[in-house]
């Protein structure tokens, strides 16, 4: 069986096969990877404990699949193209051969610093090629990486280091993001006051920010590389790993509570990310693929590093932010590097759309063949803008639905193969068996229905445990409904059997007995011409059970706020119906978002309820100050 599916008819046939004979199906897919030794058993599982094992008995190293096996044929092909924050700084290209050399070199640095298979390593770096090198070097020697987004606070880092008992931290003096410089090493120093397990810190030079270097603990990246060079740059053969050995720990973004240390393992994750990458994006041999996510999120792990590299793709990584020096930066990058595939988040699309079309006009985007989105439901207006202005109406948009816990895409179009509908993730990929259930866990069959989205059969990239706390994994994902993986997302399956994610289950409102997804209401509000973005939550309502509270960012400052409120209500009425009209509309200048761009609705819910005494963990917020402003505004509205 070829890896890439080429027609809708073929998709249907393979999907059917993958459900009827999942083990045979995944074994055929796994044949496309390089194994030191093949598996004895494809799958062993129960969702009760849970206990999930894929490709038991197999031995491999994921970096041999991402690097070594490509070097013979694709040695001079760019593996990583790096675009710096400052457009005037030179970009960098690492070919597959060069990337392998650098990974081997840094693997030896890790070994020289006492790191062995199974040790946990925390990586807190800006978006520079050394981040990819560090991640792959850990994987090469069998150390377990825990990448922490280079914008988190000292407290967030300390919590993550302690949760995983990391022995080593890899960081930089600082990082550039737009006009800002972030003093990474100094933040690490603050974090380490609370971390007993860390013996060594490796510091990369990036911003030349002055840093304190503690003797016996802190060493420079560049000095350590020199040591390996004086040792004659010996190769570093990849450690042979068992299929289910831990590959990495990654903490979820925390939009629904305390972040969870999601664990992924070597073989299943490799097969799943490679398979879904090449299919969803229909990657062609010379295409340049650009994912704008940060490697601190699962999207960067699976679809900047592991998925693209295992498929021999050219993966472009960007150090900066989409709106600096201006809102045309992503389009400049597309033009400069002749990007073919662009993968970004609805939040970025909305903000670039709001900045105005002048930033897109005149940019050569003719190389684009495929587009993708991830992270949240995309509203129709943003979808059409993306389709028309960026894809020029001829690049399929893959709206990829997945989670940190799923490792890779579960429900997503296959570009140019399966149909697309704005706001829909469409159909499950082969091997994925979604079902909708009601509150009692009863399956809701047929089409034209909505419910809680669960998955009833394992897929290779799925979560194995939450680090150090298997019970939390069981409780969160496998105990809500018996024998099902519970996603926490609400979902609609339309008359055609197409799936649309309607938001978190907690975000489904019950207004006078009608179930309405917050995303649906937001979508309608956002259609109003003066609205940039909105967030909708429910609050207790004496008559309706739940009332609808909308937080709205408007593009112009209206002197008559009440009139705009009425206009918004009219818009929602027209699009969904009078039932979905917000009971309260509060204008705000920003929304509380996590660093990955997700709205922390639990905070808005508390504010809407009038209970602001305990807003819970807000350390993963991008801009905590916005919360106070919203609290004040809510008081006035009461
Ligand atoms: P936590 O689990 O700690 O609350 P999180 O869920 O925000 O954090 P992620 O794993 O990054 O962390 O996000 C996964 C969630 O993002 C999904 O459950 C879903 O709600 C949302 N999501 C991702 N992609 C899409 C998409 N294409 N359409 C709609 N929603 C999406
Ligand atoms: Mg989640």
């Amino acid at each position: 069986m070829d890896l890439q599916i080429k027609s809708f008819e073929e998709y249907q046939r393979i999907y059917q096969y993958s459900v009827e004979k999942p083990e045979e199906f995944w074994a055929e897919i796994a044949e496309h990877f390089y194994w030191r030794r093949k598996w004895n058993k494809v799958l062993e599982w129960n969702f009760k404990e849970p206990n999930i094992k894929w490709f038991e008995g197999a031995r491999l190293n994921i970096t041999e699949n991402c690097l070594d096996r490509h070097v013979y044929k694709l040695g001079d092909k760019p593996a990583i193209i790096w675009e710096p924050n400052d457009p005037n700084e030179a970009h960098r290209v690492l070919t597959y051969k060069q990337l392998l050399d650098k990974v081997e070199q840094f693997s030896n640095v890790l070994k020289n610093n006492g790191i062995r298979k199974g040790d946990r390593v925390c990586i807190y770096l800006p978006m520079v090629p050394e981040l990819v090198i560090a991640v792959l070097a850990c994987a090469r020697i069998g150390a377990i990486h825990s990448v922490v987004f280079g914008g988190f606070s000292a407290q967030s880092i300390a919590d993550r280091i302690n949760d995983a008992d990391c022995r080593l931290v890899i960081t930089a003096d600082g990082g550039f993001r737009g006009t800002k410089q972030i003093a990474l090493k100094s933040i690490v120093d603050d974090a380490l006051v609370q971390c007993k397990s860390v013996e060594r810190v490796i510091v990369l030079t990036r911003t030349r920010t002055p840093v304190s270097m503690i003797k016996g603990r802190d060493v420079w990246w560049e000095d350590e590389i020199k040591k390996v060079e004086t040792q004659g740059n010996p190769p570093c053969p990849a450690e042979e790993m068992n299929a289910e050995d831990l590959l990495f720990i990654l903490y979820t973004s925390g939009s629904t509570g305390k972040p969870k240390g999601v664990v992924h393992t070597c073989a299943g994750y490799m097969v799943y990310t490679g398979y879904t990458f090449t299919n969803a994006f229909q990657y062609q041999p010379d295409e340049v693929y650009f994912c704008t996510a940060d490697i601190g999120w699962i999207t960067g792990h699976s679809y900047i590093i592991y998925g693209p590299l295992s498929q021999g793709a050219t993966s472009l990584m960007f150090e900066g932010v989409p709106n600096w020096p201006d809102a045309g930066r992503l389009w400049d990058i597309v033009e400069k590097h002749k990007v073919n595939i662009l993968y970004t988040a609805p939040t970025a699309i909305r903000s670039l759309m709001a900045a105005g079309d002048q930033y897109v006009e005149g940019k050569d985007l003719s190389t684009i063949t495929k587009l993708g989105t991830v992270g949240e439901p995309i509203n129709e207006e943003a979808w059409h803008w993306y389709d028309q202005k960026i894809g020029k109406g001829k690049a399929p948009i893959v709206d990829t639905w997945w989670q940190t816990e799923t490792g890779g895409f579960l429900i997503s179009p296959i570009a140019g193969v399966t149909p697309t509908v704005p706001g829909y993730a469409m159909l499950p990929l082969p091997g994925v068996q979604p079902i909708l259930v009601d509150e009692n866990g009863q399956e809701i069959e047929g089409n034209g229905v909505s419910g809680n989205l669960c998955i009833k059969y394992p897929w290779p990239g799925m979560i194995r445990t939450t680090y150090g706390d298997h019970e939390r994994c069981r409780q969160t994902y496998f105990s809500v409904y018996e024998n099902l993986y519970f996603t926490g997302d609400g979902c609609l399956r339309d008359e055609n059997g197409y799936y649309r994610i309607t938001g978190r289950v907690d975000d489904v409102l019950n207004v006078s007995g009608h179930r309405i997804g917050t995303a649906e209401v937001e979508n309608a509000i956002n259609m109003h011409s003066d609205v940039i973005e909105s967030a909708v939550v429910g609050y207790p309502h004496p008559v309706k059970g739940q009332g609808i509270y909308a937080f709205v960012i408007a593009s112009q400052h209206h002197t008559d706020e009440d009139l705009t409120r009425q206009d918004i209500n009219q818009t929602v009425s027209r699009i969904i119906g009078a039932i979905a009209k917000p009971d309260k509309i509060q204008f705000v200048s920003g929304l509380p978002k996590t660093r990955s761009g997700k709205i922390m609705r639990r905070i808005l819910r508390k504010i809407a309820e009038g209970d602001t005494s305990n807003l819970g963990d807000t350390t993963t917020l991008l801009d905590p100050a916005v919360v106070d402003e919203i609290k004040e505004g809510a008081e006035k509205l009461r």
Side-chain angles (χ1 to χ4, degrees):
M1 193 190 300
D2 281 348
L3 271 190
Q4 276 185 4
I5 293 169
K6 287 293 171 203
S7 68
F8 190 54
E9 177 281 322
E10 190 187 355
Y11 160 77
Q12 288 173 310
R13 189 165 42 78
I14 290 183
Y15 183 78
Q16 197 58 30
Y17 175 60
S18 77
V19 170
E20 281 162 12
K21 297 200 150 60
E23 297 192 34
E24 284 88 336
F25 167 73
W26 284 115
E28 284 177 53
I29 298 303
E31 289 292 343
H32 290 268
F33 292 81
Y34 172 69
W35 305 89
R36 294 271 188 99
R37 202 182 101 186
K38 294 265 170 74
W39 49 92
N40 306 322
K41 193 159 190 257
V42 178
L43 174 64
E44 191 186 305
W45 70 287
N46 73 68
F47 278 175
K48 213 165 210 66
E49 297 174 52
N51 177 28
I52 294 127
K53 291 191 175 126
W54 281 93
F55 307 112
E56 269 258 271
R59 297 182 70 79
L60 76 152
N61 188 291
I62 195 168
T63 70
E64 286 187 331
N65 281 270
C66 290
L67 300 170
D68 306 59
R69 72 162 169 160
H70 301 314
V71 163
Y72 176 66
K73 265 200 196 152
L74 304 175
D76 297 326
K77 176 175 175 171
I80 297 288
I81 299 175
W82 173 75
E83 173 67 20
N85 179 59
D86 181 349
N88 296 319
E89 186 180 341
H91 70 272
R92 283 169 64 188
V93 176
L94 290 174
T95 64
Y96 271 95
K97 168 113 197 18
Q98 291 165 333
L99 183 58
L100 174 60
D101 287 346
K102 294 213 177 282
V103 168
E104 290 198 73
Q105 202 177 37
F106 196 69
S107 298
N108 283 323
V109 167
L110 291 175
K111 282 185 177 170
N112 286 347
N113 282 279
I115 296 303
R116 297 286 174 267
K117 179 175 174 178
D119 288 341
R120 273 83 55 208
V121 173
C122 171
I123 303 179
Y124 183 68
L125 281 171
M127 280 287 285
V128 291
E130 285 74 14
L131 170 49
V132 177
I133 293 165
V135 163
L136 292 172
C138 287
R140 193 161 185 88
I141 65 169
I144 299 160
H145 55 79
S146 166
V147 181
V148 176
F149 171 64
F152 272 146
S153 63
Q155 187 59 49
S156 305
I157 302 167
D159 291 345
R160 285 161 178 71
I161 288 176
N162 289 336
D163 190 68
D165 264 326
C166 296
R167 289 189 63 193
L168 182 132
V169 179
I170 305 169
T171 189
D173 49 357
F176 297 114
R177 276 174 74 80
T179 52
K180 284 191 214 135
Q181 273 196 36
I182 299 140
L184 299 173
K185 171 63 163 63
S186 151
I187 298 169
V188 166
D189 287 338
D190 290 344
L192 291 190
V193 175
Q194 303 178 48
C195 304
K196 298 278 162 295
S197 59
V198 174
E199 295 157 20
R200 179 76 76 235
V201 181
I202 301 179
V203 187
L204 176 79
T205 308
R206 174 67 186 125
T207 54
R208 302 195 170 276
T209 309
V211 296
S212 67
M213 295 291 283
I214 310 289
K215 192 181 286 164
R217 189 193 71 183
D218 302 350
V219 296
W220 289 105
W221 176 295
E222 294 78 8
D223 291 347
E224 295 304 298
I225 294 288
K226 273 197 204 103
K227 280 185 208 159
V228 175
E229 281 167 354
T230 52
Q231 291 162 0
N233 255 334
C236 180
E239 185 79 29
E240 194 171 285
M241 306 293 284
N242 287 321
E244 286 295 338
D245 280 341
L246 270 60
L247 176 62
F248 66 84
I249 306 166
L250 182 65
Y251 292 84
T252 58
S253 73
S255 53
T256 60
K258 184 171 171 278
K260 299 170 270 287
V262 173
V263 168
H264 286 289
T265 55
C266 294
Y269 176 83
M270 170 182 80
V271 170
Y272 199 71
T273 51
Y275 181 68
T276 50
F277 169 78
T278 194
N279 266 295
F281 291 116
Q282 292 285 301
Y283 183 80
Q284 301 305 308
D286 290 319
E287 286 187 323
V288 175
Y289 160 83
F290 175 21
C291 168
T292 68
D294 194 285
I295 290 170
W297 310 119
I298 189 70
T299 307
H301 282 59
S302 301
Y303 298 111
I304 292 178
I305 303 182
Y306 289 115
L309 296 184
S310 83
Q311 299 308 302
T314 296
S315 181
L316 192 155
M317 67 186 287
F318 172 41
E319 184 182 33
V321 292
N323 54 8
W324 189 79
D326 65 36
R329 186 66 195 278
L330 295 187
W331 324 131
D332 291 335
I333 296 174
V334 169
E335 185 174 288
K336 176 174 171 188
H337 297 286
K338 300 193 169 34
V339 169
N340 305 107
I341 307 173
L342 176 69
Y343 186 36
T344 190
T347 175
I349 298 169
R350 275 193 302 270
S351 82
L352 299 179
M353 177 174 81
D357 291 350
Q358 66 272 26
Y359 294 103
V360 187
E361 279 153 15
K363 305 281 162 76
D364 182 3
L365 307 181
S366 63
T367 48
I368 286 186
T369 56
K370 283 149 284 193
L371 296 171
T373 71
V374 60
E376 53 180 319
I378 182 166
N379 53 300
E380 280 190 41
E381 197 191 355
W383 194 97
H384 286 298
W385 186 84
Y386 198 36
D387 179 45
Q388 290 303 315
K389 300 288 170 186
I390 309 308
K392 312 293 181 197
K394 53 186 180 31
I397 299 178
V398 294
D399 180 344
T400 61
W401 172 80
W402 60 300
Q403 313 177 297
T404 309
E405 298 87 345
T406 69
F409 312 147
L410 293 192
I411 304 181
S412 167
I414 297 176
V417 169
T418 45
T420 59
V421 176
Y424 279 70
M426 301 307 289
L427 293 166
L429 290 170
V432 176
Q433 302 188 31
I435 75 167
L436 302 185
V437 299
D438 64 18
E439 284 88 82
N440 307 315
Q442 286 304 312
E443 177 163 6
I444 304 170
E445 285 174 273
N447 290 340
V449 293
S450 54
N452 298 346
L453 177 59
C454 294
I455 314 290
K456 64 178 173 195
Y457 197 84
W459 63 99
M462 74 185 298
I463 181 173
R464 298 303 196 267
T465 187
T466 41
Y467 193 79
D469 191 352
H470 195 63
E471 177 57 15
R472 185 161 185 223
C473 173
R474 192 190 65 78
Q475 279 204 352
T476 313
Y477 309 105
F478 298 93
S479 74
V480 183
Y481 304 113
E482 205 177 328
N483 273 322
L484 296 175
Y485 168 81
F486 175 50
T487 67
D489 286 340
C491 182
L492 173 135
R493 186 167 53 219
D494 76 0
E495 297 301 337
N496 300 309
Y498 299 153
Y499 290 83
R500 173 190 187 129
I501 309 302
T502 48
R504 316 269 187 183
V505 170
D506 316 352
D507 297 337
V508 176
L509 311 173
N510 194 331
V511 183
S512 309
H514 297 268
R515 287 170 65 80
I516 306 173
T518 52
E520 248 179 298
V521 184
E522 287 162 10
N523 202 30
I525 295 175
N526 293 349
M527 291 221 181
H528 185 282
S529 54
D530 290 330
V531 172
I532 296 174
E533 190 165 9
S534 61
V536 162
V537 296
Y539 71 100
H541 190 283
V543 181
K544 302 177 175 179
Q546 260 188 319
I548 301 180
Y549 197 124
F551 298 85
V552 174
I553 308 177
S555 62
Q556 288 160 31
H557 235 53
H558 284 262
T559 42
D560 194 345
E561 283 199 345
D562 267 333
L563 189 59
T564 312
R565 280 199 183 90
Q566 290 173 35
D567 290 349
I568 290 175
N569 275 330
Q570 281 291 334
T571 314
V572 175
S573 269
R574 237 173 222 297
I575 290 163
I576 311 179
I579 182 76
K581 275 199 305 204
D583 299 277
K584 288 188 185 175
I585 296 177
Q586 182 184 341
F587 292 102
V588 296
S589 70
L591 293 166
K593 289 198 174 175
T594 63
R595 303 257 176 188
S596 61
K598 289 209 177 81
I599 298 165
M600 261 204 207
R601 284 203 180 66
R602 64 184 169 83
I603 292 181
L604 295 177
R605 227 178 280 134
K606 287 237 169 188
I607 294 176
E609 286 165 9
D611 167 21
T612 53
S613 51
N614 177 18
L615 292 177
D617 180 9
T618 55
T619 53
T620 60
L621 275 184
L622 188 62
D623 174 18
V626 81
V627 175
D628 292 325
E629 181 213 300
I630 298 175
K631 272 203 282 196
E632 275 170 36
E635 290 295 329
K636 287 196 199 117
L637 209 61
R638 194 155 290 126

